[in-house]
Amino acid sequence: MKVFITGGLGFVGRHLTAYLLEQGCDVTCTGTRPHPPAPAHDRFHYICTDTTREGAWQSTAAGCDVVYNLAGRNIFRPWTKAYKEALRASRLHTTRHLVSAMSTVTAPVLISASAVGFYGDRGDDVLDETAPGCTDFLGILSMDWENAAIAAEEKGVRVAIARFGIILGTGGGALAKMLPAFRCFLGGSLGKGTHWVPWIHVQDVVSALWFLAKTPTCRGAYNLTAPAPVRYREMTKALGHAMKRPAVVSTPGFLVRLFTGELGTVLLNSQRAVPHRLVDAGYTFHFTDIRTALADLVAQRT
């Protein structure tokens, strides 16, 4: 099977690429770095290109069986006006160019990224895929991103939207931000720590993405989150337990907002998202307990 991945050497993309090569796929990734660290594999191919612009890369994407759309600037940076525009452009332009390249004849499967930021700050509400979106910046961005991908259905493409939760894995993501503080005995909660965290182990991310590609009935939006979301303070306690470190240092919410601006508000949002559609489709999770998941990841780093 030929697979094309935009953003294929980012945090999720690296893990997905390795997984797909193990499944016997021929994988082509895009990125903007001329000579990035990449798998030394005869079924791996790399295209250095800016996918926010049209180019020859589109022909390669159109010739693949499955397309994963993971490209997008990192949201964990201060949201200046210019950077918010870059966040939108990196997602929407790439997605529109992908859809434009797809043929009504070959009609590959499109698995396109989104985020649980779609739902906004929802307190203790249990959020499955039928929950409405919100109208803050991240909510509108997620909706526009999803709609740009769903436009491919007009060409006969099967489209599945992966609404990512907080991805826990080695080599990047949320865990890379948290580990340094815990190593220095400074780990703990953000704000009161009562907000819900829709976490997921990266192993489940990549296997769920492959499940969506292989399952012909999977279309529409799917929460890629573990079945049991936890409150932030529970996650930090689980990480402290795995690292044999305390988790007692709390950063007040006003300081989070002061130093990170609008992004800080998003970091404190509560999203009790659950993967009802993924479970109903028949996917079986590898990690459903936060302590087991974090213990596994910490062990991988030692």
Side-chain angles (χ1 to χ4, degrees):
M1 185 177 288
K2 293 183 178 180
V3 179
F4 188 90
I5 311 175
T6 65
L9 294 181
F11 170 54
V12 174
R14 291 195 308 274
H15 287 275
L16 179 61
T17 294
Y19 181 86
L20 293 175
L21 290 171
E22 290 176 359
Q23 306 307 309
C25 297
D26 187 284
V27 180
T28 299
C29 293
T30 67
T32 56
R33 289 181 288 174
H35 305 289
H41 200 293
D42 58 2
R43 283 186 278 102
F44 175 80
H45 316 278
Y46 178 71
I47 300 175
C48 178
T49 188
D50 180 358
T51 54
T52 66
R53 300 177 181 273
E54 295 179 326
W57 65 271
Q58 292 171 283
S59 298
T60 304
C64 290
D65 304 298
V66 178
V67 175
Y68 287 101
N69 181 28
L70 305 179
R73 294 283 193 92
N74 189 343
I75 69 164
F76 294 107
R77 283 183 52 182
W79 289 2
T80 63
K81 182 179 179 181
Y83 196 68
K84 287 169 78 171
E85 291 174 357
L87 288 172
R88 286 186 59 83
S90 62
R91 288 160 172 77
L92 301 187
H93 293 343
T94 293
T95 306
R96 289 166 182 159
H97 292 327
L98 272 177
V99 171
S100 174
M102 290 178 177
S103 166
T104 56
V105 177
T106 57
V109 177
L110 173 61
I111 314 297
S112 193
S114 183
V116 293
F118 175 93
Y119 303 111
D121 185 12
R122 302 293 289 276
D124 291 336
D125 293 349
V126 177
L127 305 171
D128 67 11
E129 294 84 355
T130 64
C134 72
T135 57
D136 64 9
F137 170 75
L138 201 55
I140 293 173
L141 173 58
S142 299
M143 283 186 268
D144 290 345
W145 196 9
E146 293 183 12
N147 288 334
I150 290 169
E153 292 179 344
E154 297 176 6
K155 295 186 170 186
V157 175
R158 177 169 66 85
V159 180
I161 304 296
R163 290 179 183 159
F164 292 128
I166 303 301
I167 301 170
L168 302 176
T170 58
L175 202 56
K177 306 289 186 184
M178 299 171 70
L179 285 176
F182 275 84
R183 289 197 189 99
C184 298
F185 294 85
L186 296 174
S189 291
L190 295 179
K192 296 179 180 178
T194 57
H195 52 291
W196 289 94
V197 179
W199 67 276
I200 184 170
H201 191 294
V202 71
Q203 183 178 336
D204 276 310
V205 170
V206 297
S207 56
L209 287 172
W210 184 228
F211 176 86
L212 291 176
K214 292 191 302 176
T215 309
T217 55
C218 287
R219 58 177 69 239
Y222 292 81
N223 288 340
L224 262 63
T225 61
V230 296
R231 296 189 188 274
Y232 192 91
R233 63 189 177 197
E234 183 178 346
M235 183 175 70
T236 57
K237 286 180 181 178
L239 181 55
H241 182 267
M243 295 186 68
K244 297 180 173 58
R245 296 287 194 276
V248 296
V249 179
S250 178
T251 304
F254 79 89
L255 284 180
V256 176
R257 297 184 184 94
L258 177 65
F259 287 105
T260 58
E262 189 175 353
L263 171 61
T265 299
V266 172
L267 294 175
L268 296 170
N269 278 354
S270 181
Q271 292 152 344
R272 196 177 181 182
V274 290
H276 281 178
R277 294 200 68 215
L278 195 57
V279 172
D280 288 347
Y283 179 76
T284 301
F285 279 83
H286 300 280
F287 294 92
T288 58
D289 174 74
I290 188 66
R291 286 205 168 203
T292 304
L294 287 171
D296 174 76
L297 292 168
V298 169
Q300 290 181 38
R301 297 180 62 90
T302 59

